């Protein structure tokens, strides 16, 4: 009986850790970046040039 209880408790703790890790990853992915996402290279509009 003791081994069965230990196995059930281990599974419950493992499941709780997995859910916590999943929620943490989702929270990290949903966080806004500290730096704005601006492009390093910009191209000028070529409309009207050379035509």
């Amino acid at each position: 009986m003791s081994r069965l209880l230990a196995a059930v408790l281990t599974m419950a703790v493992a499941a709780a850790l997995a859910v916590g890790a999943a929620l943490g990853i989702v929270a990290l992915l949903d966080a806004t970046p500290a730096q704005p996402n601006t492009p390093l290279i910009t191209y000028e509009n070529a409309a009207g040039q050379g035509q």
Side-chain angles (χ1 to χ4, degrees):
M1 187 68 169
S2 176
R3 283 188 174 183
L4 180 62
L5 181 62
V8 169
L9 286 176
T10 302
M11 287 176 22
V13 169
L17 284 175
V19 169
L23 291 176
I25 290 171
V26 169
L28 284 176
L29 291 175
D30 198 28
T32 57
Q35 178 175 332
N37 188 12
T38 56
L40 296 177
I41 299 173
T42 56
Y43 297 99
E44 293 183 17
N45 189 1
Q49 292 182 355
Q51 290 181 357

